[in-house]
Amino acid sequence: MIIRKGTPTDMPAVLSLIKELAVFEKEPDAVVVTEEDLVRDGFSPNPLFHCFVAELNDQIIGIALYYYRYSTWKGKTIHLEDLIVREKERGIGAGMALYKEVIKQGEKDGVRRIEWAVLDWNQNAIDFYEKTGAKVLSDWRLVQMDEQGIAAFLKSNS
């Protein structure tokens, strides 16, 4: 297995993994991002994300997609958006290898924190993260506003 930085030609496989994750997370129709979006947003002069891929027998079996954030308390941080391994390839160490690569990247970049979200029902992931020394915070709530919410807010507050 090879862990390497993702390239624009990897984006079809990356999108396939994103869609597989959406099915796993019980949101099969939620993915609207396209291969073109991924290429544009990840490989422009100012990329919005970076990714590592796990490759086995010339097939991408996993990804870790991350981007940089800024914390007013900590400074530069990394947000790990998704860590995905194809279901049939789980258990061979790809997830740990990708996870480790993101953490190594964070150390190399001098970030003060690496953060991500995990669904409260995904006990396997929670156990994995806690076993590695990560803290799963129960006192914070994830807040989001989708496109419809943005439009409704701006319309009612114009």
Side-chain angles (χ1 to χ4, degrees), residues 4-158:
R4 61 173 175 79
K5 287 190 175 190
T7 66
T9 59
D10 295 328
M11 293 307 102
V14 169
L15 183 56
S16 174
L17 281 158
I18 291 168
K19 289 178 178 179
E20 185 174 319
L21 178 65
V23 170
F24 175 76
E25 292 184 352
K26 302 173 178 70
E27 294 278 348
D29 300 320
V31 178
V32 296
V33 73
T34 66
E35 290 174 25
E36 294 78 18
D37 293 332
L38 292 170
V39 171
R40 180 194 63 233
D41 296 341
F43 301 93
S44 66
N46 296 304
L48 298 177
F49 72 87
H50 305 274
C51 74
F52 292 108
V53 298
E55 193 174 46
L56 182 64
N57 300 323
D58 297 320
Q59 298 291 315
I60 294 174
I61 63 163
I63 67 161
L65 192 143
Y66 66 97
Y67 53 89
Y68 295 92
R69 293 175 63 176
Y70 195 83
S71 164
T72 56
W73 289 10
K74 300 294 182 186
K76 186 177 182 179
T77 68
I78 283 178
H79 181 84
L80 175 58
E81 180 66 20
D82 283 319
L83 176 63
I84 312 164
V85 176
R86 289 212 186 277
E87 188 172 9
K88 64 182 180 160
E89 304 294 346
R90 292 183 189 150
I92 64 170
M96 178 59 87
L98 288 162
Y99 182 73
K100 184 177 179 182
E101 202 64 30
V102 172
I103 293 170
K104 284 174 26 185
Q105 186 69 47
E107 180 184 49
K108 176 181 163 189
D109 293 339
V111 303
R112 294 195 175 110
R113 180 172 66 209
I114 300 171
E115 57 208 5
W116 59 95
V118 61
L119 290 165
D120 62 358
W121 55 260
N122 191 348
Q123 196 60 49
N124 287 339
I126 292 167
D127 293 346
F128 171 80
Y129 296 137
E130 288 180 334
K131 197 178 342 177
T132 67
K135 294 180 215 149
V136 178
L137 306 176
S138 60
D139 53 345
W140 284 83
R141 300 289 179 143
L142 185 63
V143 180
Q144 296 180 334
M145 185 179 285
D146 64 14
E147 291 172 287
Q148 292 79 19
I150 293 167
F153 174 82
L154 291 175
K155 184 178 180 182
S156 67
N157 288 281
S158 55

